[in-house]
Amino acid sequence: MRYFLIKLNIFLTLKAVLLLIFLSANLNAQSGTTSIGGTIFDPQKEIIPNAAVTLSNAEKGFSRSATTNESGTFIFPAIQPGIYRLEVEMNGFKKFAVNEIRAVVDTPTEISAILEVGSVNETVIIRGDTAASLLNTQDATIGNPFNSTQVTQLPTEARDVINLLTLQPGVTRFGYVAGGRSDQANITLDGVDVNNSITNNIFDPVLRLNTEAIEEFRVTTTNANASQGRSSGAQISLVTKGGTNNLRGAIFLTGRRTGWTANDFFNNRDGVERPKLDRNIFGGAIGGPIWKNRAFFFYSFEGERTNRGQTVVRVVPLETLGQGIVRFRSSTNGQITSLNCSNITTVFPNTNGCNPIALSVFADAATRYTANSFETGDRLNTGGFRFNADNKIKKNSHVLRLDFNLNAKQQMFFRANYIDDFETTAPQFPDTPVPSLWSHPYGFAVGHNWTISNNIFNNFRYGLSRDANSSLRDSNDNVISFARVYSPRLAGRTFSAIDSVHNITDDVSRLWRNHTFQFGTNIRFISSRVRAFAGSLDTATLNSILYPGNGNSITNRLNFFGYQIPDDQRRSVQDAVTAVVGRYSGYTARFTFLRDGVLQPVGTPRDREYKNEEYDFYVQDIWKLLPNLTATFGLRYDLSRPVYEAGGYEVKPNIALSEYFERRAAGAANGTPYNQPIVFDLAGPVNGKSPLYKWDKNNFQPRIAVAWSPNFGKRRF
């Protein structure tokens, strides 16, 4: 906590300095908001300064006022997506009003008007073109928004909103956007980072998104502005629903049953029932006022209960292998030839023949897992054991949002997510431990919007996303496996991780004539705590490939004694002989040491915590050259601290590997060998040493874009 407060103080100090320097600085910034702006004209199409403009949303008790500047323009930046009413008043002119203006996330909306001469008591009312507002004509960003109706009505697998991303032009079903990799996207929820800090997978954000809780989202596939482009890929902005002055709710239930599925050919052939598929997805939402026009709430719950069967086929030994009998089929007459333990002792006298412990393992396996499928195995010594595993899924997702109209110039919101998921996966065999995955991420965001003056606006966000999961596997002991013959366990090791991201964003916007200046920052403090047992337990294998000649030393000796092994059965015979002899061909011993070199007992987990920090800053100017021509100029700068391990478990070579290879290449060119030993030593700030790699201070990202809506001689207002 002290670490975070120090960083927060640094951030606030830096922000204060920037405010003093600029006091100015996209319409939508980086906070998952939107904007409405335009220009006011008289009947002669001359601009009208000092006109009073009011934007309101009666359902949310929202009202904000502005005055057109000397260029006749106005703007309402950083407003929540929704349906608004716009009113314009000026002495000597009729009041102008537009109803049902749909403002969509990350898409600037322009409402320009020509006022009619008359009394201010008269009103000209038009209805907003909500369909046209979906088309972005105000900047060069490319992407389409989805509103709440589309989110809830479009068919999705298990009501997973994130799958709708692939409906965007330029997005593949694997999440590649405009040629960019799926791990280069940036996902924000209410302006706060919800990326998976480890994989950054576009389909795997930290917080699962409830369908009923999403107001809308937009995917900016290309040409992101400097205010938004934190990464090189797609910029995905999602916004949660908020409460209104009307109490509203929704409830849903969907189901699917095993009876509506078909069994596959192989299950029918082997007499195995169809896998189960019983799925129930249910939930609801409710939202309304806490204090009319001042405070609102919204809550959503979505749950899933699924029993999803999975057909599994494992290789198992046949009964004869448990008796020490290795079989193969003659290539000449097709007859089966058997090698018993006496034969194996004769051929391999230094092995003492069959290992009784190994034979007892095979005999037990053949009794418990009688081969019922021969699509795998060699059909003479091994076969397949086919069974259905019932994988159970239990998911719960909660979303709560509170909105507050503090006064006419300040609004605030709080949003919290909590997810509690549990899922099992297929075991090695029906009676072995069932692996499971427990996941309970949570996150929250706090936002504050402040209209400082008629043309200066500040938008602040702070959020935390915390991904916590534990993978409970089927083995916490040393494991022995017989390659391609029998593995009693999956040999998975328990693993748990807690990945936290503190995210701070702030944007300041200022309208000056036909310019919207903006600057802002996006700061992330990232921590990943990992506990792993994979490096603390030993594994042994009996694998014929590890013997001389890739295992051919076994069959060569059998051939020498007159047992002619066909080429197509060579590997299976090698595996079977290796299994019954029961000698380790490979053993991996793993040791865990503390930072001071003290050896820990077998089974001690490895605990690590990795940290890094990311600082982004940008400045931007959106210049309205003409009502249908906008130029955007921006510069973004990124600075990332090298990743370090908080416990001091960090080493690096005493010679950079790039430099080492350059020296070797130079030595080879001169005919002088370079064989300097590479020494690994402690590194990182915890050890008072240099980081793993140098700071990269050259990440400047200039952005220049022009958006033009040609009217071919007909000027539009």
Side-chain angles (χ1 to χ4, degrees):
M1 187 64 181
R2 180 182 178 185
Y3 168 84
F4 171 70
L5 291 175
I6 292 174
K7 297 300 181 182
L8 182 59
N9 288 333
I10 294 174
F11 159 73
L12 293 176
T13 302
L14 180 60
K15 179 174 180 288
V17 173
L18 291 173
L19 281 170
L20 291 174
I21 295 175
F22 294 98
L23 200 60
S24 58
N26 172 335
L27 296 178
N28 305 320
Q30 52 195 0
S31 53
T33 58
T34 187
S35 63
I36 295 177
T39 308
I40 307 302
F41 302 89
D42 64 15
Q44 285 72 43
K45 299 180 181 178
E46 298 294 331
I47 61 173
I48 301 178
N50 300 318
V53 186
T54 303
L55 185 70
S56 61
N57 182 322
E59 282 194 338
K60 296 189 176 182
F62 173 87
S63 179
R64 188 183 296 175
S65 299
T67 303
T68 57
N69 61 15
E70 60 270 27
S71 299
T73 61
F74 69 92
I75 188 172
F76 295 100
I79 61 174
Q80 291 298 313
I83 306 297
Y84 290 90
R85 173 184 170 89
L86 182 76
E87 296 180 351
V88 182
E89 295 184 44
M90 184 66 184
N91 291 332
F93 297 92
K94 296 179 182 179
K95 180 189 291 186
F96 177 86
V98 186
N99 292 330
E100 298 186 17
I101 302 172
R102 178 179 291 278
V104 297
V105 64
D106 287 348
T107 306
T109 301
E110 183 181 21
I111 304 293
S112 294
I114 299 176
L115 301 187
E116 298 181 10
V117 176
S119 170
V120 73
N121 295 323
E122 300 178 85
T123 304
V124 177
I125 301 177
I126 64 175
R127 181 169 179 171
D129 188 353
T130 58
S133 65
L134 299 178
L135 178 63
N136 177 23
T137 62
Q138 303 307 303
D139 61 31
T141 61
I142 298 176
N144 297 319
F146 281 72
N147 58 42
S148 59
T149 301
Q150 294 170 305
V151 169
T152 55
Q153 293 186 0
L154 285 172
T156 56
E157 172 68 18
R159 293 176 63 90
D160 190 353
V161 178
I162 208 71
N163 290 324
L164 295 177
L165 302 179
T166 60
L167 300 181
Q168 298 279 350
V171 182
T172 72
R173 66 189 183 95
F174 301 107
Y176 291 78
V177 182
R181 293 174 58 89
S182 60
D183 60 357
Q184 297 300 307
N186 180 43
I187 306 177
T188 61
L189 180 62
D190 298 320
V192 173
D193 185 300
V194 292
N195 298 283
N196 186 312
S197 61
I198 304 301
T199 65
N200 212 64
N201 188 337
I202 192 173
F203 295 119
D204 185 30
V206 172
L207 302 177
R208 190 170 63 254
L209 310 171
N210 293 4
T211 302
E212 294 294 337
I214 297 299
E215 178 68 32
E216 59 185 50
F217 71 89
R218 185 188 190 224
V219 181
T220 302
T221 55
T222 54
N223 297 343
N225 293 330
S227 60
Q228 193 184 28
R230 194 187 69 82
S231 62
S232 62
Q235 308 296 308
I236 304 167
S237 299
L238 300 109
V239 181
T240 54
K241 288 181 180 178
T244 66
N245 280 322
N246 300 315
L247 185 65
R248 295 174 179 171
I251 190 170
F252 62 89
L253 170 64
T254 62
R256 183 175 178 179
R257 297 293 173 265
T258 303
W260 302 342
T261 64
N263 206 1
D264 65 30
F265 168 81
F266 299 102
N267 278 359
N268 285 328
R269 183 195 63 184
D270 298 329
V272 178
E273 296 182 354
R274 78 181 82 183
K276 291 183 180 179
L277 182 54
D278 293 328
R279 172 179 289 167
N280 295 290
I281 300 175
F282 55 93
I286 186 170
I290 300 174
W291 181 5
K292 188 174 182 180
N293 292 330
R294 298 296 298 273
F296 312 91
F297 79 95
F298 178 85
Y299 170 75
S300 168
F301 169 77
E302 187 167 303
E304 179 183 351
R305 303 293 184 269
T306 297
N307 190 345
R308 183 181 60 200
Q310 175 186 355
T311 299
V312 181
V313 181
R314 307 294 190 198
V315 178
V316 294
L318 299 183
E319 182 180 5
T320 51
L321 197 64
Q323 299 168 0
I325 299 174
V326 176
R327 303 191 297 173
F328 63 93
R329 192 178 298 276
S330 172
S331 59
T332 55
N333 56 20
Q335 297 297 315
I336 295 177
T337 301
S338 298
L339 299 172
N340 57 33
C341 289
S342 297
N343 302 135
I344 293 174
T345 302
T346 301
V347 177
F348 305 101
N350 294 329
T351 64
N352 295 322
C354 298
N355 187 319
I357 298 178
L359 297 186
S360 65
V361 170
F362 300 147
D364 177 69
T367 301
R368 289 193 292 162
Y369 318 123
T370 303
N372 57 7
S373 174
F374 290 94
E375 62 197 271
T376 187
D378 64 5
R379 303 189 180 191
L380 295 172
N381 304 295
T382 59
F385 179 70
R386 175 182 285 267
F387 66 98
N388 287 330
D390 292 338
N391 301 329
K392 301 183 184 299
I393 300 174
K394 181 181 179 181
K395 294 184 177 181
N396 300 285
S397 177
H398 307 264
V399 180
L400 173 67
R401 175 165 174 146
L402 304 174
D403 290 271
F404 306 93
N405 293 326
L406 303 179
N407 53 44
K409 293 187 176 183
Q410 299 186 65
Q411 295 80 40
M412 187 174 180
F413 80 87
F414 170 80
R415 184 261 305 155
N417 298 67
Y418 178 72
I419 296 171
D420 183 13
D421 293 349
F422 179 79
E423 181 176 353
T424 62
T425 58
Q428 179 70 351
F429 292 102
D431 59 351
T432 58
V434 178
S436 61
L437 177 63
W438 179 53
S439 178
H440 58 120
Y442 67 78
F444 68 85
V446 177
H448 179 258
N449 300 334
W450 180 20
T451 305
I452 299 174
S453 67
N454 186 52
N455 58 359
I456 301 177
F457 186 86
N458 186 77
N459 189 326
F460 173 80
R461 297 285 189 270
Y462 165 70
L464 166 68
S465 60
R466 180 182 183 272
D467 189 12
N469 60 79
S470 297
S471 179
L472 307 178
R473 311 310 296 174
D474 69 339
S475 178
N476 292 319
D477 299 306
N478 296 334
V479 170
I480 301 173
S481 63
F482 302 84
R484 295 171 297 280
V485 173
Y486 176 60
S487 294
R489 292 287 189 272
L490 291 169
R493 308 302 193 185
T494 294
F495 174 88
S496 62
I498 299 177
D499 306 318
S500 301
V501 178
H502 294 273
N503 189 203
I504 300 170
T505 70
D506 195 84
D507 304 277
V508 180
S509 303
R510 185 186 181 195
L511 179 65
W512 180 73
R513 295 185 179 179
N514 294 335
H515 298 264
T516 298
F517 297 104
Q518 181 180 350
F519 78 92
T521 184
N522 187 328
I523 299 176
R524 304 199 312 163
F525 304 126
I526 304 170
S527 170
S528 178
R529 287 187 290 162
V530 175
R531 166 166 282 197
F533 287 84
S536 59
L537 296 165
D538 297 351
T539 56
T541 182
L542 292 87
N543 190 344
S544 64
I545 292 177
L546 300 180
Y547 284 108
N550 196 30
N552 289 333
S553 58
I554 298 174
T555 46
N556 289 343
R557 190 164 180 81
L558 288 170
N559 291 335
F560 177 79
F561 275 82
Y563 302 102
Q564 298 302 313
I565 311 299
D567 290 342
D568 60 345
Q569 299 177 60
R570 182 179 301 170
R571 177 61 65 199
S572 64
V573 171
Q574 292 169 357
D575 291 338
V577 171
T578 300
V580 298
V581 167
R583 283 194 171 187
Y584 296 158
S585 57
Y587 190 96
T588 302
R590 296 179 173 89
F591 303 93
T592 300
F593 296 89
L594 296 181
R595 180 167 165 266
D596 57 8
V598 176
L599 179 64
Q600 299 301 291
V602 174
T604 301
R606 296 183 180 179
D607 294 317
R608 301 289 186 268
E609 182 175 8
Y610 306 97
K611 290 186 175 183
N612 73 314
E613 303 152 17
E614 298 179 357
Y615 303 90
D616 291 11
F617 307 94
Y618 73 91
V619 293
Q620 184 166 275
D621 175 21
I622 299 178
W623 185 8
K624 197 78 171 178
L625 297 168
L626 295 172
N628 63 342
L629 179 62
T630 304
T632 304
F633 307 92
L635 177 65
R636 191 177 187 94
Y637 178 69
D638 298 340
L639 182 65
S640 297
R641 179 175 183 173
V643 177
Y644 66 96
E645 204 286 312
Y649 292 93
E650 185 175 342
V651 297
K652 73 172 186 178
N654 61 333
I655 304 174
L657 296 183
S658 57
E659 180 181 350
Y660 186 84
F661 291 132
E662 289 176 359
R663 293 181 183 180
R664 287 189 65 104
N670 298 328
T672 304
Y674 180 80
N675 296 317
Q676 178 70 26
I678 297 177
V679 178
F680 284 84
D681 192 11
L682 292 174
V686 178
N687 297 309
K689 302 292 184 66
S690 59
L692 289 177
Y693 51 91
K694 296 180 180 179
W695 288 72
D696 185 359
K697 301 179 181 180
N698 300 317
N699 295 320
F700 291 93
Q701 306 169 42
R703 310 291 175 92
I704 301 176
V706 176
W708 177 43
S709 300
N711 50 37
F712 302 105
K714 296 182 180 180
R715 189 174 183 183
R716 296 169 55 194
F717 297 94

